[in-house]
Amino acid sequence: MTDGIYTLANDAVLDQLIAFLNSVEANAGGYPVAVFAYDEQISQVAAEIERRPQVTLLADPELFAPWEEFSRQVWDTHPTAFKQWQAQGIQGVRRIGANHRYAAFDKAAPFERFIYFDADVVVLNSVEFIFNQLDHHDTVIYDFQFKDPSHIFNLDSPYFKTLFTPEQLGTQIFCSGFFASHRGRFPVAERQWLVAQLATGEADLLYPRAPNQSLLNYMMLRSQKSIYNFAIHLPPTESTGCAVTSTHFEERDCLVFDHGKRLTFLHYIGVGAGIFKRLTEGENLDCPYRETFLAYRFLHQPHQRPQWRGKPQPLHRPPSLLKRIRQKLGLKF
């Protein structure tokens, strides 16, 4: 059985991708990695992957085409999604490149069992225990997204509490930045069935501002896939958080700890690609857990790692006095 790790990238997230690949190499346990191309802007990504024998680039449009078409069919059933996106200047499905991660389920995908991570993740521990759990479940997750389903589904939809069980809503909702599953879990016939269910009105449940995440959760829950959440099943003495929004983690020796427990991965969710670029170029920014990111970004080039003096600058500087006055007066110049 071929186990492997996927991520998704283009040149805009090159710094995150390098840190991610280095962290997998250092900590994950020797698994091969495949990178889905987010779009055609991948020349720098391709050059980086060329230097890494354990990493391959998946950029064939034929691999992504059926999943893009599936995405279009899904969102065609939604009453307002395309109108919302067009009002924002978006043509077609919002961030359709993010849906390329669905190709992990394709019968032509290289890994029989896989773990998917967003590129803005650093892996900090072995992931063997995650693969082992796939012996017993369709999907494995490890997060606390169920505490805030508002970024997954439309909570005002009448389908929110009638379509899914309390157990599904209370334990199985997940952030699409990490999940583990199996190749072939969503064959064409099942995808067509899902579209048909959405067309009956269930599409009202989907959340157009996070289309890949919303749809992926719907796919898993609606098709009754067995989902195992380590955040629920691990005892409190072993479970950890994983999001950079947590403020109590401790950085130590290129690892991160949650009350003394080593994290499996740290997701820099909400930190934009531009912040990582500015950090790597030497700007002294107060990015959370920046030492860990920089340790892996420059794992093989430690002499290039930025060295700072003085107090780091906040990521979001408060507006100047003049700007605050203009805002208060309603002035736009």
Side-chain angles (χ1 to χ4, degrees):
M1 181 173 293
T2 304
D3 294 341
I5 295 172
Y6 291 115
T7 191
L8 177 75
N10 63 5
D11 289 347
V13 297
L14 181 65
D15 290 309
Q16 295 102 302
L17 177 64
I18 292 172
F20 169 76
L21 294 175
N22 288 343
S23 73
V24 169
E25 175 189 327
N27 300 317
Y31 292 98
V33 179
V35 181
F36 292 126
Y38 180 88
D39 55 25
E40 296 178 352
Q41 307 304 313
I42 52 170
S43 59
Q44 294 176 328
V45 167
E48 180 63 34
I49 290 174
E50 186 68 24
R51 295 190 284 267
R52 298 173 181 265
Q54 281 288 94
V55 184
T56 57
L57 177 63
L58 300 176
D60 186 352
E62 291 188 8
L63 177 63
F64 303 134
W67 300 96
E68 290 189 359
E69 178 59 26
F70 170 61
S71 299
R72 282 188 283 268
Q73 290 175 1
V74 163
W75 290 101
D76 273 336
T77 68
H78 193 276
T80 63
F82 280 106
K83 291 180 181 179
Q84 292 182 43
W85 297 333
Q86 288 170 2
Q88 299 165 11
I90 300 168
Q91 299 301 315
V93 177
R94 176 186 173 97
R95 297 176 180 168
I96 195 166
N99 295 353
H100 289 175
R101 76 192 67 196
Y102 302 162
F105 298 112
D106 199 277
K107 62 182 180 180
F111 304 137
E112 294 180 56
R113 303 191 307 182
F114 66 85
I115 299 173
Y116 172 86
F117 289 105
D118 275 350
D120 59 342
V121 163
V122 290
V123 179
L124 300 168
N125 212 336
S126 169
V127 295
E128 183 178 4
F129 74 106
I130 298 170
F131 281 113
N132 289 342
Q133 198 58 239
L134 286 174
D135 289 340
H136 312 290
H137 296 277
D138 294 314
T139 302
V140 175
I141 60 176
Y142 192 174
D143 69 32
F144 297 86
Q145 188 67 52
F146 59 85
K147 293 185 176 181
D148 181 16
S150 65
H151 288 81
I152 304 294
F153 293 127
N154 170 19
L155 304 191
D156 294 326
S157 172
Y159 291 101
F160 178 64
K161 291 188 177 179
T162 61
L163 195 60
F164 303 131
T165 68
E167 179 185 5
Q168 287 176 305
L169 296 176
T171 66
Q172 298 178 5
I173 288 175
F174 63 100
C175 169
S176 64
F178 164 80
F179 64 98
S181 193
H182 305 254
R183 182 173 64 191
R185 279 299 187 266
F186 289 100
V188 172
E190 187 165 17
R191 302 201 300 266
Q192 292 175 340
W193 178 83
L194 288 166
V195 171
Q197 305 316 302
L198 288 163
T200 66
E202 291 180 14
D204 178 65
L205 179 65
L206 298 181
Y207 181 61
R209 292 184 62 184
N212 90 78
Q213 179 165 271
S214 186
L215 175 55
L216 185 58
N217 273 264
Y218 176 87
M219 291 164 63
M220 291 290 184
L221 272 62
R222 190 66 174 91
S223 60
Q224 297 292 318
K225 297 291 186 286
S226 62
I227 301 174
Y228 184 94
N229 189 350
F230 279 107
I232 295 294
H233 293 288
L234 284 177
T237 54
E238 298 179 26
S239 177
T240 73
C242 60
V244 75
T245 50
S246 296
T247 58
H248 64 277
F249 296 156
E250 178 190 0
E251 294 178 285
R252 186 169 72 245
D253 299 327
C254 300
L255 300 173
V256 182
F257 297 84
D258 183 350
H259 297 296
K261 297 165 290 187
R262 180 173 168 182
L263 270 63
T264 302
F265 65 95
L266 179 63
H267 189 184
Y268 286 82
I269 189 167
V271 181
I275 298 298
F276 291 106
K277 183 175 177 60
R278 290 164 64 188
L279 275 175
T280 57
E281 291 178 349
E283 193 169 345
N284 190 2
L285 295 174
D286 190 17
C287 176
Y289 307 109
R290 69 177 186 175
E291 295 302 314
T292 300
F293 167 75
L294 291 170
Y296 290 105
R297 170 60 181 83
F298 295 102
L299 184 69
H300 299 303
Q301 304 153 318
H303 60 284
Q304 296 182 14
R305 181 172 170 170
Q307 302 295 320
W308 293 296
R309 295 180 179 178
K311 186 177 180 180
Q313 298 299 310
L315 291 183
H316 307 290
R317 295 183 178 181
S320 66
L321 175 61
L322 179 58
K323 187 173 183 178
R324 293 199 302 272
I325 292 173
R326 287 175 171 173
Q327 290 173 340
K328 188 173 183 178
L329 296 176
L331 301 176
K332 297 183 179 180
F333 55 86

